[in-house]
Amino acid sequence: MCSSDLTVEIINTSTKMNMTTLKTLVATSLSLVCLASLRAEITGQWDFESDLSATVGNDLEYFDDVDGPTEQETKFGTTATFGVPGIDGAVASVMKTAKNSSSMGYLIRPDLPGNGGGVLANQWSLVMDLLYPVESSGKARAILQIDDPFTNGNGAELSINANNGVGALEGHGVIEPNTWHRLVVTVDQAIEPPIMKVYIDGKIVGKEILPVDPVLGQVDGRWAILDQTSAYGDDSVLLFTDDGGRSEIGYVASIQFHDQVLSVGYVAGLAGPIAGGIQTDVQVIAAIESFSPAPGDPMVFPESPIEIVLADGDQPVPEESIKLILNGEPVIPDIQTPSKGKKQITYDPGLLEPGVENTVEFRFSDPSNNNQVSSIVWSFTMAPYHLRSEEHTSELQSQAYLVCRLLLEKKKNTPPTPPPPTTPHTITTDHNSQTCHNH
């Protein structure tokens, strides 16, 4: 429930103002207090049985109105009638989308409440089961255009790029052609820095820091979605279109919006696409939130710890089930609980051999998932550091020295690019400033 101390005239949606202008105008005249539920709820779901009707929330609409080009080019049917693969081996109802110009597209009203300390929905999640045929692959495709749903006057805030990666300004993961994928995107503009996370088929494939709007600041910025009160004239988002007409024919089976950021365990429980729509009753399972060193990192500093953050599911993961294996040998990590439902697993491997690849396996048993054993295996390579003679032991302990040596090794192993650098690397410590030189 949101209340305001001011009556606001609804803005005509034909007015050529983008969201940045509208947000600035209304934010200066409204004082809103929103009490959002602490539980993430499904505020909208669309399963495309035969039209744009909603399973939950508001029906979708055609951006260019009834009988316009979008409706004329949009088709409803099944995976079998369209000759595309079934979803998880089953025939499913789907919508074949139009190839939209900037004047075409779909209007989706996700019915989100204002949250995250702002007037708009600063914390939200999108779940979508979609497939792009081979002829649509390898091209830029808009997914959501948030900032100007009135005139479609700017680029998409969420898109698939020409490399088939998904993101805001970057591309993460791969949307394989002629393959059904469950795409999950979460946005949190209330944390510092604001973050978008991208998952494909239940697994996180990337995250990116969202730029902060120089006019509006962080909260209620470009990736905030209009709230359900329609204080700005309409609580809508454009689907599969943007101002550049970046759109290709695709197939969508189900779309779902949530009013909070879904947890990594919830997304893992959603897993991949299934026929019949995105499930509404999900068992949260344990999932790895992050781990380091990064997979494939070719330049890991000496004495860098191995760290994993594990999120519990509906039931906590027993510590005795947690196993860490380094280069085929079991090791004993330190296990801490920094917050409820989170475990931080840390192991200090000491000085691993320089220039050598190391393999880590981490596994655990999850009582939230029938005690299934989950595991992850990844590798990283130590930087080619050089240990000097015994009399320089104290110098070796210096972090500044290690950084100096690694910078020089990296520079030595990197092909020169014109123009050559003219300034040496300088490392500043608490005591002095050192300049890196070859010895």
Side-chain angles (χ1 to χ4, degrees):
M1 178 76 69
C2 296
S3 62
S4 69
D5 59 1
L6 194 65
T7 300
V8 179
E9 181 181 358
I10 299 302
I11 299 170
N12 189 318
T13 58
S14 64
T15 303
K16 289 188 177 295
M17 291 185 181
N18 64 22
M19 271 303 301
T20 301
T21 304
L22 289 173
K23 290 173 185 176
T24 303
L25 288 174
V26 181
T28 57
S29 60
L30 280 180
S31 174
L32 296 178
V33 177
C34 299
L35 299 177
S37 168
L38 294 177
R39 182 173 62 89
E41 294 184 352
I42 297 169
T43 61
Q45 180 158 339
W46 302 265
D47 293 318
F48 307 108
E49 293 292 337
S50 59
D51 54 23
L52 299 182
S53 297
T55 306
V56 177
N58 304 311
D59 294 346
L60 267 68
E61 299 176 24
Y62 297 106
F63 179 54
D64 48 357
D65 296 326
V66 177
D67 294 329
T70 308
E71 183 175 11
Q72 293 172 17
E73 295 181 24
T74 300
K75 308 297 179 185
F76 297 91
T78 68
T79 52
T81 59
F82 288 126
V84 297
I87 301 178
D88 197 27
V91 174
S93 297
V94 299
M95 177 176 78
K96 182 180 181 181
T97 67
K99 179 177 169 60
N100 297 308
S101 68
S102 61
S103 61
M104 299 166 62
Y106 308 90
L107 202 60
I108 186 169
R109 292 184 170 88
D111 203 28
L112 298 167
N115 59 23
V119 174
L120 308 184
N122 291 276
Q123 297 165 314
W124 53 268
S125 299
L126 167 71
V127 187
M128 180 181 292
D129 291 349
L130 80 171
L131 175 148
Y132 279 100
V134 173
E135 55 269 25
S136 297
S137 184
K139 302 173 184 176
R141 287 149 282 169
I143 300 296
L144 294 182
Q145 200 277 83
I146 297 169
D147 203 48
D148 180 12
F150 309 118
T151 65
N152 198 12
N154 63 279
E157 277 69 42
L158 174 66
S159 61
I160 302 173
N161 65 19
N163 293 321
N164 297 325
V166 183
L169 303 175
E170 303 171 8
H172 308 283
V174 176
I175 299 296
E176 298 285 354
N178 213 38
T179 303
W180 284 100
H181 288 293
R182 175 160 290 173
L183 173 65
V184 179
V185 176
T186 68
V187 166
D188 192 343
Q189 288 206 164
I191 62 171
E192 179 63 44
I195 293 288
M196 173 184 284
K197 294 182 180 180
V198 178
Y199 303 78
I200 296 177
D201 300 331
K203 297 179 180 180
I204 189 165
V205 294
K207 61 182 179 180
E208 60 184 284
I209 296 174
L210 299 173
V212 174
D213 191 298
V215 176
L216 298 173
Q218 179 175 323
V219 175
D220 290 343
R222 179 177 174 183
W223 282 267
I225 293 178
L226 291 167
D227 71 297
Q228 63 191 188
T229 65
S230 300
Y232 295 95
D234 201 351
D235 70 328
S236 56
V237 175
L238 290 179
L239 183 67
F240 301 133
T241 186
D242 70 358
D243 66 343
R246 285 172 277 269
S247 174
E248 299 295 332
I249 291 173
Y251 301 85
V252 59
S254 189
I255 298 174
Q256 196 179 80
F257 262 98
H258 294 251
D259 65 359
Q260 285 191 5
V261 175
L262 296 178
S263 70
V264 63
Y266 189 102
V267 178
L270 282 171
I274 58 174
I278 301 162
Q279 56 266 49
T280 58
D281 186 14
V282 176
Q283 183 170 10
V284 178
I285 64 176
I288 297 169
E289 280 199 351
S290 63
F291 56 95
S292 64
D297 190 339
M299 193 70 67
V300 176
F301 277 26
E303 297 185 331
S304 294
I306 296 169
E307 294 181 325
I308 302 104
V309 176
L310 177 66
D312 287 327
D314 288 334
Q315 301 177 56
V317 171
E319 289 192 9
E320 59 269 20
S321 77
I322 293 174
K323 307 296 180 185
L324 188 65
I325 300 169
L326 175 61
N327 296 327
E329 296 293 332
V331 296
I332 301 175
D334 177 62
I335 302 174
Q336 300 292 331
T337 306
S339 60
K340 184 178 180 180
K342 298 287 180 67
K343 291 181 174 64
Q344 182 164 323
I345 297 91
T346 306
Y347 177 70
D348 181 2
L351 279 174
L352 295 172
E353 191 173 347
V356 172
E357 183 180 75
N358 298 273
T359 300
V360 181
E361 181 181 356
F362 174 72
R363 59 175 181 249
F364 60 91
S365 177
D366 183 11
S368 303
N369 195 19
N370 299 317
N371 289 313
Q372 179 177 317
V373 175
S374 298
S375 65
I376 184 172
V377 178
W378 81 98
S379 298
F380 62 88
T381 301
M382 297 304 298
Y385 64 90
H386 176 64
L387 293 177
R388 300 174 68 189
S389 57
E390 290 297 325
E391 64 265 24
H392 296 293
T393 301
S394 61
E395 190 178 9
L396 269 174
Q397 304 299 321
S398 164
Q399 183 69 20
Y401 172 79
L402 286 173
V403 172
C404 266
R405 296 305 306 161
L406 291 174
L407 285 171
L408 289 171
E409 292 285 354
K410 190 171 184 180
K411 179 180 175 183
K412 181 175 68 176
N413 294 324
T414 302
T417 56
T422 56
T423 305
H425 297 287
T426 300
I427 307 299
T428 302
T429 68
D430 292 337
H431 306 290
N432 58 5
S433 179
Q434 305 176 24
T435 302
C436 297
H437 300 286
N438 287 300
H439 296 285

